Amino acid sequence: MAEQDFGTGCPAPRGRTRHRGRARSGAALVTAGLAFLAVLAPTPSAAGGGEPRPLVPARFVPGPCPTTPEPVPGRCGYLEVPENRARRGGRTVRLTVAIVPAASGRPAADPVVFMTGGPGADAISDIPFLIDSGVNRDRDLIVMAQRGTLHSRPNLACPEVDRFYAEAVGLRYDAPSTGRRLVRATRACRDRLTASGVDLSAYNTTENAADFADLRRALGIGRWNVYGYSYGTDLALTYLRRHPWGVRSVAIDSVVPPQVVSLPWTWDSAREGITTIFAACAAQPRCAHRYPDLRRTLTEQVRRLEARPLTVMAAPPAGGAPVRVVLDGGALVNLLVANAVPAVDVPAALDELAHGNPERFARARAAGATPVVGEFAHGLTQSVACAEWVPGYSRADLLRAGRRAFPGWPDSVLAQAPQLPFEHDVCRVWDVPDRTAVQRVTTTSAVPALVLSGTFDAKTGARWGAYAARTLSRSTTVRIPGIGHWVVPQSPCAQRVLASFLTRPTGPDTRCVAGLAPKPFTITPPPETA
């Protein structure tokens, strides 16, 4: 079982295995809150040209950098902001900030601020990927831990949910009993967090965006450039809509348009990413000959495994003793959506599975048995998802979307959103107010924008980049063939495009894209000659 990581980069079961460049209801309550927030951060049309000052100022306090596997190469501190800006005199939260100097000896004056994905991912741990990708080549790089995440206080980690996911590799992915266990773990986390005084309703994209606006003011920065990926694009577009002041440019990578993201939407992205991989195989003669009709093969395997799940022992990719894993149709689909098996190996892995060898998928499933407990902030995930993505669409809507995307698949598979299983049940116990009225809003802007998508992305389908760009009047849209979720760290071409965009936002150099094609797929000997 894997989380929806609209932003946590490359996927792993309820954790994060990334690909580095070098390797690696209260309706009245909601309405009142929205009215107050509108005073804090009016949209561009209501701004009247001047940037408003927050009623409760934030402050930046210099301090030591957090201890991380790779030391932070810069200076750090924390931003102190209100937990809930609609409640004056309430608690505050502290968000770790790292400022990484530019590699250039003569950096540009406008830095880059990074917005990570998830929601719930640890932005500080993304710094090595950003440096490897050259994001700080000519500008200082500013990375802030989003509210509720690992290097913030409070931290909305849910060890209860981490432990559930470690056990879930040996359970049927979409069985009702599995869902009940997930709900129990989620309730335990919620009860613990609320008992400690956490206001779960304050951990949302509106407050998150206001944190970044406060950060720019607290650091005394006149203009900066915004780079976000996955959920970070949802956040970046919300930030641009609500806080347009001082934004020189915006780059969004693996796009989640805030006006459309929902549980049914996940099936559209899954279909696009998976079928694009299959189409790329069909376009390579050797792959097309060796693995014909991959869509039919996948449908057959989803149906077979859902009817008769496989239980096997598999060693986690990171090492350790083999663990018991269950492969059913839902698990197979979510491993594909999560890119847990590299795209170049997917045709071979499906063919092997069809011929009785589930090793590639079993090992990928086993990776979920060894999560880093407490690293991922599941509490932020649920506060955002349950307030902004789930409301307004029923279980029947989700099932219909699944049937449209993958006709012929079992309803037990299609009833669960990819990466967000049992979310209606989880949100019932998480119990935060519906915020769709303020969040499902299109961002319209003339700020220069770069929109990056990977054609193999099954989490945030590539077509949604172009969709978001329609209301960004000075945008450049780039699709990188053969790349999955979080494009820049995986594509040297995308890195060059981003660098040129930061230099000249209205005219980036995209020439390298024209010569790109997906890598050759892995070709294994046919079973009879192996």
Side-chain angles (χ1 to χ4, degrees):
M1 184 171 296
E3 79 197 11
Q4 174 57 53
D5 177 357
F6 287 135
T8 67
C10 304
R14 217 57 179 179
R16 300 202 297 168
T17 299
R18 303 184 190 90
H19 300 274
R20 292 185 64 166
R22 67 187 180 203
R24 5 187 255 179
S25 179
L29 175 62
V30 174
T31 301
L34 301 188
F36 187 84
L37 288 167
V39 172
L40 287 177
T43 58
S45 61
E51 179 178 4
R53 292 191 174 276
L55 298 179
V56 182
R59 67 185 186 119
F60 176 77
V61 179
C65 291
T67 301
T68 54
E70 296 186 39
V72 177
R75 57 191 176 93
C76 300
Y78 65 83
L79 183 74
E80 186 174 67
V81 296
E83 181 180 49
N84 188 329
R85 290 174 171 83
R87 297 178 181 173
R88 299 190 66 178
R91 287 164 44 122
T92 59
V93 300
R94 290 185 172 187
L95 315 175
T96 292
V97 179
I99 304 173
V100 180
S104 168
R106 300 180 64 183
D110 44 279
V112 179
V113 64
F114 174 67
M115 299 179 178
T116 194
D122 171 27
I124 303 301
S125 69
D126 288 332
I127 291 174
F129 306 101
L130 299 167
I131 293 174
D132 285 354
S133 301
V135 179
N136 70 320
R137 187 182 72 176
D138 298 315
R139 287 167 171 77
D140 290 353
L141 168 65
I142 302 172
V143 179
M144 181 169 71
Q146 294 174 22
R147 55 174 49 215
T149 60
L150 179 62
H151 293 290
S152 69
R153 293 294 178 268
N155 176 8
L156 272 58
C158 292
E160 305 90 342
V161 175
D162 288 324
R163 289 190 287 268
F164 160 78
Y165 277 103
E167 299 168 356
V169 300
L171 305 174
R172 289 200 59 160
Y173 182 90
D174 47 33
S177 58
T178 302
R180 289 191 292 270
R181 293 177 69 162
L182 173 57
V183 169
R184 284 197 299 270
T186 302
R187 181 185 288 112
C189 180
R190 186 192 195 282
D191 290 349
R192 177 178 52 78
L193 291 173
T194 55
S196 70
V198 173
D199 178 3
L200 295 176
S201 69
Y203 293 81
N204 57 64
T205 306
T206 300
E207 293 280 9
N208 206 347
D211 294 341
F212 280 89
D214 279 346
L215 177 64
R216 184 181 66 81
R217 287 188 292 262
L219 294 179
I221 296 171
R223 293 201 310 168
W224 65 6
N225 306 275
V226 176
Y227 170 47
Y229 87 96
S230 198
Y231 166 70
T233 69
D234 184 345
L235 174 57
L237 290 168
T238 301
Y239 174 79
L240 181 60
R241 175 170 59 87
R242 300 188 66 89
H243 307 277
W245 305 274
V247 181
R248 175 177 177 264
S249 72
V250 175
I252 49 177
D253 178 337
S254 305
V255 182
V256 181
Q259 68 269 36
V260 299
V261 61
S262 65
L263 296 185
W265 173 83
T266 63
W267 277 120
D268 180 277
S269 288
R271 177 202 56 77
E272 181 179 3
I274 292 171
T275 57
T276 301
I277 293 173
F278 294 170
C281 174
Q284 294 180 14
R286 291 186 68 223
C287 192
H289 177 75
R290 177 66 183 85
Y291 310 115
D293 203 352
L294 284 168
R295 178 153 186 160
R296 184 185 68 182
T297 301
L298 175 58
T299 296
E300 290 173 348
Q301 295 313 301
V302 170
R303 293 174 64 90
R304 178 177 71 86
L305 291 175
E306 193 66 5
R308 295 181 299 278
L310 288 175
T311 301
V312 299
M313 299 298 291
V323 298
R324 176 182 179 270
V325 302
V326 173
L327 284 176
D328 59 1
L332 174 60
V333 171
N334 278 270
L335 290 169
L336 290 172
V337 171
N339 194 32
V341 172
V344 293
D345 295 335
V346 164
L350 284 172
D351 182 74
E352 291 166 351
L353 179 63
H355 290 90
N357 177 10
E359 182 178 357
R360 294 185 201 255
F361 288 112
R363 283 178 58 82
R365 179 90 158 122
T370 56
V372 179
V373 175
E375 180 184 57
F376 193 88
H378 300 289
L380 180 59
T381 305
Q382 296 309 333
S383 285
V384 170
C386 295
E388 301 172 13
W389 302 348
V390 174
Y393 293 94
S394 67
R395 298 171 195 263
D397 294 328
L398 174 60
L399 181 57
R400 279 192 292 269
R403 288 170 174 169
R404 286 193 301 269
F406 295 102
W409 284 16
D411 281 357
S412 56
V413 173
L414 301 176
Q416 305 302 333
Q419 309 290 280
L420 284 169
F422 305 103
E423 195 65 13
H424 284 99
D425 299 319
V426 166
C427 289
R428 189 176 64 250
V429 302
W430 200 254
D431 189 26
V432 289
D434 180 343
R435 295 185 52 80
T436 54
V438 69
Q439 188 56 28
R440 284 191 189 143
V441 182
T442 299
T443 297
T444 300
S445 176
V447 170
L450 175 65
V451 183
L452 292 162
S453 300
T455 62
F456 286 179
D457 187 351
K459 288 185 177 182
T460 59
R463 79 182 186 95
W464 294 106
Y467 177 89
R470 296 186 309 175
T471 56
L472 304 175
S473 60
R474 301 168 74 195
S475 60
T476 300
T477 302
V478 174
R479 292 163 59 105
I480 304 294
I483 296 295
H485 202 60
W486 199 8
V487 177
V488 165
Q490 302 180 71
S491 168
C493 175
Q495 293 166 19
R496 293 196 293 272
V497 172
L498 177 59
S500 71
F501 170 76
L502 291 171
T503 299
R504 192 172 62 171
T506 57
D509 185 352
T510 63
R511 289 175 294 180
C512 64
V513 180
L516 298 179
K519 295 178 180 178
F521 288 91
T522 299
I523 307 297
T524 58
E528 60 272 18
T529 61

